Amino acid sequence: MSEKRKRSWAEPYKIKMVEPVRMTTPDERKQAIEEAGYNTFLLRSRDVYIDLLTDSGTSAMSDRQWAGLMMGDESYAGSDNFYHLEETVRGYYGYKHLVPTHQGRAAEHIISKIMIKKGDIIPGNMYFTTTKVHQELAGGTFADIIIDEAHDPENEHPFKANVDLNKLEDLIKKYGAERIPYVSIATTVNMAGGQPISLENLKAVRKITNKHGIKIIHDMTRVAENAYFIKEREPGYAEMSVKDIVKEICSLTDGATMSAKKDALVNIGGFLAINDDEVFDKARNMVVIYEGLHTYGGMAGRDMEALAIGIKESVEFDHIRARVGQVLYLGNKLLEMGIPIVKPIGSHGVFLDAKKILPHLKQDELPAQSLAAAIYLDSGVRAMERGVVSAGREPKTGKHNYPKLELVRLTIPRRVYTQAHMDVVAESVEAVHRSSSDVTGLKFVYEPTYLRFFQSRFEPV
Ligand SMILES: *Cc1c(COP(=O)(O)O)cnc(C)c1O
């Protein structure tokens, strides 16, 4: 009677408009990667077959969102689309006030300037590049309070973004609550490989911060993906909708910064949302200096409309299951092929362990950069280095920082590619893995001073 029938998930949409991608020959790819100095950031997108560089601003919008663009009210002040977005943020996330910004880092800039004073400590569940820079520019210091498991790629903890409550309490004891303006909580944690935080852990963080009168600011860039993992993995939440879990997460925090270029399915946009009236007042004043009037903050009316619609779509179960499901599909396929990846598989990408795939390369021979170039040469799939090149140099000694991990990130854009594309990606990674001893290392031939991974050039050693 209780016979279980297998039902695979499939993409919960059909395709109404297509954008051709170009397949290249091995000779064309060889020329393209040489011209790009073996750096995938320097490739032209026309030479890329399947583009897994990033999930930021690369989503496909729905027909509803495109229709929303046509409803753009481009009035300088009081645009209809702003009020639609404000109502959506209140309804879906529960925050009281909205300050639109052009993207996530602008919201981080504003909240950091308002809440952080010189000498403050800002604890967070692992850093994110732009978040940390704005905390530091405002005079603060970031302190990592994520659980140790998050730093171990082999560890299969289901909620690797959880806060180590002892680390948080020790910080409060050491510096005093007065020097901690807020705790920064990200859902999911990008730099840990797209790993989620549990509601149980977030509730415990809320309890501790309440006791000391410390606020929580939520980096909600991938909150729907985190909520999906809670529904799947955390006891007690299987029956709760992703939409309600998202709202519950937000209700445990005091405000949020959002890069809408990720979960919220738009190509540009972001916001700051905040419950506190006084902070809102300051933020609404400040946004006028840096972004634009408080009813557009750097976004066109049409972009605010597409975002309001994108937020609603982002928490639909069929969407989020297929989005995360596609990443899991690729990750599991690679695991079955015996390819070493970071575990558990995260929500927005699969991270290849380049040290294990190319054991013959020393870290000075840039294994992750070499692997990303080799995958491009094999198939035209574009990935991103996350290893010694991304880690940069130690400012004092001028020596390379040597991170523990040499990773290549295959980041999946939302609603852009099909399962068939994922099959091609897996086949290409397997082909490179099989003939990995043929992959030679790289050396720098040009290196800029800042964020060198974007513009460095290399050649084979
Ligand atoms: C992308 C990102 C940001 C910054 O947002 P932008 O829209 O790129 O400015 C902040 N936090 C996280 C976790 C992100 O992934």
Side-chain angles (χ1 to χ4, degrees):
M1 281 299 286
S2 63
E3 172 200 356
K4 274 232 169 90
R5 284 182 300 171
K6 179 173 160 56
R7 274 292 176 281
S8 303
W9 62 267
E11 290 81 2
Y13 46 80
K14 54 184 179 175
I15 296 164
K16 143 146 62 185
M17 189 192 285
V18 296
E19 175 183 341
V21 289
R22 204 168 70 95
M23 295 225 246
T24 45
T25 64
D27 282 341
E28 284 172 326
R29 290 195 291 278
K30 188 160 177 290
Q31 192 184 342
I33 197 77
E34 275 172 19
E35 279 173 11
Y38 291 84
N39 185 347
T40 52
F41 275 103
L42 299 179
L43 287 166
R44 287 167 179 243
S45 71
R46 72 181 300 274
D47 294 326
V48 173
Y49 175 34
I50 299 172
D51 202 347
L52 306 187
L53 191 68
T54 174
D55 68 328
S56 178
T58 53
S59 298
M61 293 207 297
S62 66
D63 54 355
R64 274 96 183 141
Q65 286 178 291
W66 280 100
L69 289 187
M70 294 306 293
M71 304 291 283
D73 168 6
E74 307 304 342
S75 309
Y76 188 88
S79 160
D80 247 356
N81 311 119
F82 167 76
Y83 293 106
H84 182 200
L85 179 59
E86 184 184 57
E87 176 197 308
T88 308
V89 167
R90 283 183 181 150
Y92 280 72
Y93 302 140
Y95 297 117
K96 192 168 164 197
H97 302 295
L98 168 72
V99 179
T101 58
H102 80 282
Q103 57 185 83
R105 68 196 70 183
E108 293 170 344
H109 175 209
I110 291 170
I111 197 69
S112 301
K113 260 195 136 92
I114 292 172
M115 292 187 69
I116 299 171
K117 54 185 193 313
K118 203 165 179 311
D120 278 354
I121 307 293
I122 305 93
N125 56 345
M126 203 175 264
Y127 80 101
F128 184 72
T129 50
T130 56
T131 320
K132 182 161 167 269
V133 164
H134 282 299
Q135 291 168 353
E136 289 168 352
L137 287 172
T141 304
F142 166 81
D144 192 4
I145 53 165
I146 204 164
I147 55 172
D148 289 337
E149 287 88 336
H151 294 282
D152 174 7
E154 299 283 326
N155 193 297
E156 302 223 28
H157 193 293
F159 292 102
K160 271 173 135 175
N162 278 359
V163 166
D164 183 327
L165 302 173
N166 290 326
K167 286 185 192 169
L168 174 59
E169 287 189 316
D170 287 350
L171 275 180
I172 299 172
K173 233 177 258 156
K174 187 165 170 199
Y175 296 102
E178 322 77 59
R179 283 181 65 190
I180 302 178
Y182 60 86
V183 174
S184 177
I185 293 293
T187 54
T188 61
V189 172
N190 191 349
M191 301 303 271
Q195 305 293 335
I197 180 171
S198 72
L199 266 169
E200 185 192 21
N201 184 258
L202 183 56
K203 283 177 185 167
V205 173
R206 180 75 283 180
K207 211 164 155 197
I208 294 170
T209 49
N210 274 348
K211 201 166 78 191
H212 296 278
I214 298 170
K215 290 198 154 63
I216 299 177
I217 299 297
H218 173 201
D219 182 340
M220 63 180 306
T221 297
R222 296 184 182 82
V223 67
E225 292 174 8
N226 197 120
Y228 176 73
F229 278 139
I230 287 173
K231 183 177 171 69
E232 291 293 299
R233 294 178 187 170
E234 187 163 354
Y237 292 98
E239 300 303 320
M240 198 164 165
S241 69
V242 169
K243 184 172 172 229
D244 288 344
I245 296 172
V246 164
K247 208 157 171 190
E248 177 150 356
I249 293 171
C250 295
S251 76
L252 292 162
T253 68
D254 300 289
T257 56
M258 171 64 128
S259 168
K261 302 172 70 171
K262 310 341 187 316
D263 251 13
L265 297 164
V266 288
N267 304 118
I268 191 75
F271 59 76
L272 170 67
I274 194 87
N275 292 335
D276 187 286
D277 297 334
E278 239 174 85
V279 175
F280 169 61
D281 206 52
K282 288 182 186 163
R284 188 170 54 171
N285 194 203
M286 200 174 281
V287 78
V288 183
I289 311 172
Y290 295 111
E291 295 285 296
L293 193 71
H294 58 276
T295 57
Y296 74 85
M299 273 191 281
R302 54 179 171 267
D303 291 331
M304 290 190 282
E305 189 61 26
L307 172 52
I309 298 165
I311 288 170
K312 296 174 198 185
E313 292 177 359
S314 74
V315 299
E316 282 171 14
F317 180 72
D318 285 345
H319 159 70
I320 197 72
R321 177 179 58 175
R323 187 288 182 277
V324 178
Q326 189 174 50
V327 179
L328 299 182
Y329 174 83
L330 174 62
N332 283 321
K333 207 158 175 116
L334 292 170
L335 282 175
E336 276 164 31
M337 291 167 163
I339 292 162
I341 62 171
V342 175
K343 289 183 279 189
I345 302 158
S347 67
H348 68 290
V350 179
F351 293 71
L352 306 173
D353 189 336
K355 268 191 187 168
K356 289 213 181 108
I357 296 174
L358 304 175
H360 58 291
L361 295 188
K362 296 193 287 281
Q363 200 163 11
D364 275 327
E365 295 171 312
L366 318 176
Q369 191 74 40
S370 307
L371 181 59
I375 292 168
Y376 174 76
L377 273 170
D378 179 73
S379 58
V381 169
R382 170 154 70 173
M384 185 199 288
E385 193 260 10
R386 279 289 175 226
V388 63
V389 177
S390 292
R393 286 181 189 274
E394 161 64 34
K396 279 199 193 107
T397 62
K399 294 205 169 105
H400 292 310
N401 288 317
Y402 290 102
K404 246 195 342 221
L405 302 176
E406 282 287 322
L407 304 176
V408 168
R409 188 177 82 179
L410 303 164
T411 339
I412 316 299
R414 295 167 185 79
R415 304 195 293 208
V416 171
Y417 294 115
T418 62
Q419 263 192 57
H421 289 107
M422 297 302 113
D423 291 341
V424 172
V425 172
E427 286 161 13
S428 174
V429 173
E430 188 187 33
V432 173
H433 185 225
R434 225 183 302 121
S435 54
S436 60
S437 54
D438 297 345
V439 177
T440 49
L442 293 169
K443 62 170 195 252
F444 279 94
V445 290
Y446 166 71
E447 182 183 343
T449 315
Y450 303 106
L451 299 174
R452 63 180 183 176
F453 55 94
F454 284 126
Q455 291 158 339
S456 284
R457 304 182 69 84
F458 309 90
E459 65 184 30
V461 287

